């Protein structure tokens, strides 16, 4: 049973502002993305810088409005269209679907104490549930300990903490309202490599302890495979491959996914778009038709989809 279903999501940005906007240079940041996140599942979105991961995630919480497409949130037997949510409903939805940002330095208000940071966004909803200030403080202390800090840290300021500790505070803030889905947008990439592992292990602990789902965004495919159940690989706003993390790790079928596994460098793509496959200009296996025909996203094995006509034609099990 999914907690969130995303279908045919589109978002384009105008690259020119003001007067020049009418000349219309656009980037299709998200181009027909569909996926779903199961209950208690960790779904990974992976791809190089600029492929549209953050834009996708922001549309899920309506920080950006989608140009086209549907986002449905499933809760019990109910299903709601996220795009149609009005003020109070949207606020409630955002308690259920929480967003942790990449940069812990900028996402925490330096003038607030850690306690204020934790409760500022959720005092009202928690009070509505009958939780008073004393209980709220206790709850905040418990969450802070869950993420590896101490109750006494509630009185400190975010600036007194290291980057890794600040990211723990961001995670605690997101957990305080007991969300059903946590969106982790590159939550480790701003941190030192030595600290990244600690934060990943914390998230794994949280996964084990709590009934919740994750959208885990990363540019490092191996990190995503380590954390996630299923993964969608994005390139230029499109999903190129989707499979269980285990299948993907064992045998990536799309040439782009293979490239991501082989290189650790973060690359920004600058090739010109083609009428065919968006990856064709960089693809070591590209044939002439790849530049002409836009490949469909097809299920090639059970639960394993790729957008590559070349690979699809060469996989024996695809044509039994
Ligand atoms: N607010 C915006 N205005 C204009 N263009 C934008 C905006 N946000 C994103 N873009 C463009 O949309 C594309 C996708 O950006 P996005 O931030 O979603 O990528 P990303 O996969 O999250 O990259 P990164 O790994 O660097 O965080 C990029 O070409 C980016 O320049
Ligand atoms: Mg991003």
């Amino acid at each position: 049973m999914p907690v969130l279903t995303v279908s045919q999501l589109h978002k384009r940005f105008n690259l020119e502002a003001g007067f020049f906007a009418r000349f219309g240079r656009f980037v299709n940041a998200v181009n027909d993305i569909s996926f779903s996140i199961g209950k208690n599942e960790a779904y990974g979105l992976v791809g190089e810088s600029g492929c549209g991961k953050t834009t996708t995630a922001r549309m899920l919480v309506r920080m950006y409005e989608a140009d086209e497409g549907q986002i449905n949130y499933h809760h019990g037997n109910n299903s709601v269209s996220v795009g149609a949510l009005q003020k109070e409903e949207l606020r409630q939805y955002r308690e259920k679907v929480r967003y942790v940002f990449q940069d812990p330095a900028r996402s925490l208000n330096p003038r607030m104490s850690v306690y204020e940071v934790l409760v500022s966004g959720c005092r009202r909803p928690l009070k509505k549930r009958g939780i008073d200030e004393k209980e709220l403080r206790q709850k905040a202390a418990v969450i802070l300990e869950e993420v590896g800090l101490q109750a006494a840290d509630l009185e400190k300021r975010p600036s007194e903490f290291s980057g890794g500790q600040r990211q723990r505070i961001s995670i605690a803030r997101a957990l305080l309202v007991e969300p059903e889905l946590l969106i982790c947008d590159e939550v480790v990439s701003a941190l030192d490599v030595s600290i990244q592992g600690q934060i990943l292990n914390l998230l794994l602990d949280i996964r084990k302890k709590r009934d919740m789902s994750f959208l885990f965004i990363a540019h490092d495919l191996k990190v995503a495979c380590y954390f996630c159940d299923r993964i969608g690989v994005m390139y230029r706003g499109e999903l190129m491959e989707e499979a269980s993390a285990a299948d993907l790790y064992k045998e990536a079928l799309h040439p782009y996914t293979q490239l991501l596994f082989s290189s650790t460098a973060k690359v920004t793509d600058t090739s010109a778009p083609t009428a065919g496959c968006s990856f064709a200009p960089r693809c070591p296996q590209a044939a002439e038709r790849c530049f002409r025909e836009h490949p469909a996203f097809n299920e090639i094995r059970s639960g394993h989809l790729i957008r590559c006509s070349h690979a699809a034609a060469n996989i024996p099990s695809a044509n039994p």
Side-chain angles (χ1 to χ4, degrees):
M1 181 68 188
V3 55
L4 206 72
T5 317
V6 172
S7 39
Q8 301 178 316
L9 217 53
H10 289 77
K11 181 74 184 174
R12 56 177 206 172
F13 291 111
N14 194 334
L15 291 176
E16 313 277 2
F19 172 78
F20 294 100
R22 63 204 184 105
F23 296 126
R25 283 207 309 130
F26 292 99
V27 56
N28 290 312
V30 172
N31 195 1
D32 202 14
I33 291 276
S34 303
F35 62 93
S36 68
I37 306 172
K39 203 161 166 40
N40 292 329
E41 184 181 46
Y43 186 90
L45 265 188
V46 182
E48 291 163 333
S49 187
C51 71
K53 306 179 293 294
T54 297
T55 306
T56 303
R58 290 190 171 188
M59 285 192 281
L60 301 190
V61 291
R62 300 258 308 269
M63 283 167 74
Y64 292 156
E65 296 294 340
D67 293 337
E68 276 176 59
Q70 270 289 325
I71 302 161
N72 286 294
Y73 169 62
H74 312 282
H75 183 72
N77 289 327
N78 293 328
S79 175
V80 293
S81 167
V82 173
L85 296 178
Q86 302 291 326
K87 277 186 179 169
E88 177 60 19
E89 300 163 322
L90 182 60
R91 212 187 46 69
Q92 283 175 13
Y93 167 73
R94 284 177 175 156
E95 285 170 30
K96 294 290 168 204
V97 178
R98 300 281 286 174
Y99 202 115
V100 180
F101 296 93
Q102 170 171 2
D103 188 351
R106 277 192 294 175
S107 63
L108 304 179
N109 187 332
R111 286 187 211 89
M112 291 180 174
S113 69
V114 169
Y115 177 65
E116 283 299 324
V117 164
L118 293 184
V119 305
S120 61
C122 61
R123 201 176 241 129
R124 217 162 50 110
L126 286 172
K127 287 218 164 131
K128 251 194 203 159
R129 290 187 216 165
I131 296 173
D132 65 22
E133 196 72 25
K134 191 172 156 224
E135 283 171 291
L136 195 54
R137 189 167 279 274
Q138 272 167 0
K139 211 169 149 56
V142 169
I143 295 274
L144 212 54
E145 280 166 5
E146 185 178 344
V147 302
L149 297 170
Q150 291 164 354
D153 292 330
L154 284 175
E155 316 312 323
K156 297 184 183 163
R157 309 254 152 197
S159 58
E160 295 175 60
F161 296 91
S162 67
Q165 288 170 324
R166 269 183 245 167
Q167 201 54 296
R168 289 174 194 269
I169 297 168
S170 302
I171 293 166
R173 174 175 58 180
L175 292 178
L176 196 64
V177 282
E178 287 151 21
E180 285 183 27
L181 172 66
L182 194 65
I183 300 176
C184 299
D185 190 354
E186 303 260 14
V187 288
V188 297
S189 58
L191 305 172
D192 287 348
V193 175
S194 60
I195 310 294
Q196 292 185 358
Q198 295 174 12
I199 299 293
L200 278 174
N201 284 330
L202 168 65
L203 289 172
L204 279 173
D205 280 349
I206 293 168
R207 265 203 81 177
K208 276 189 220 135
K209 259 195 274 176
R210 286 170 178 260
D211 262 358
M212 59 188 285
S213 312
F214 288 82
L215 177 64
F216 184 85
I217 294 177
H219 58 262
D220 188 324
L221 189 48
K222 285 176 192 154
V223 167
C225 281
Y226 178 67
F227 187 78
C228 299
D229 301 308
R230 267 186 327 131
I231 289 178
V233 178
M234 272 185 90
Y235 186 75
R236 287 201 165 196
E238 292 182 294
L239 276 179
M240 300 309 249
E241 182 158 11
E242 184 185 76
S244 72
D247 280 354
L248 207 63
Y249 197 79
K250 206 164 36 176
E251 193 186 10
L253 298 176
H254 197 288
Y256 177 59
T257 315
Q258 293 165 0
L259 181 89
L260 280 184
F261 267 124
S262 66
S263 71
T264 49
K266 204 174 169 180
V267 199
T268 306
D269 176 41
T270 52
S271 60
T274 72
C277 172
S278 55
F279 185 60
R282 284 174 69 192
C283 183
Q285 296 170 35
E288 187 257 337
R289 71 181 277 208
C290 301
F291 290 89
R292 278 190 286 113
E293 291 167 22
H294 187 252
F297 199 40
N298 285 328
E299 187 163 15
I300 222 112
R301 291 175 190 161
S302 170
H304 199 146
L305 292 86
I306 55 169
R307 189 186 296 284
C308 176
S309 30
H310 184 75
N314 286 304
I315 291 164
S317 58
N319 315 300

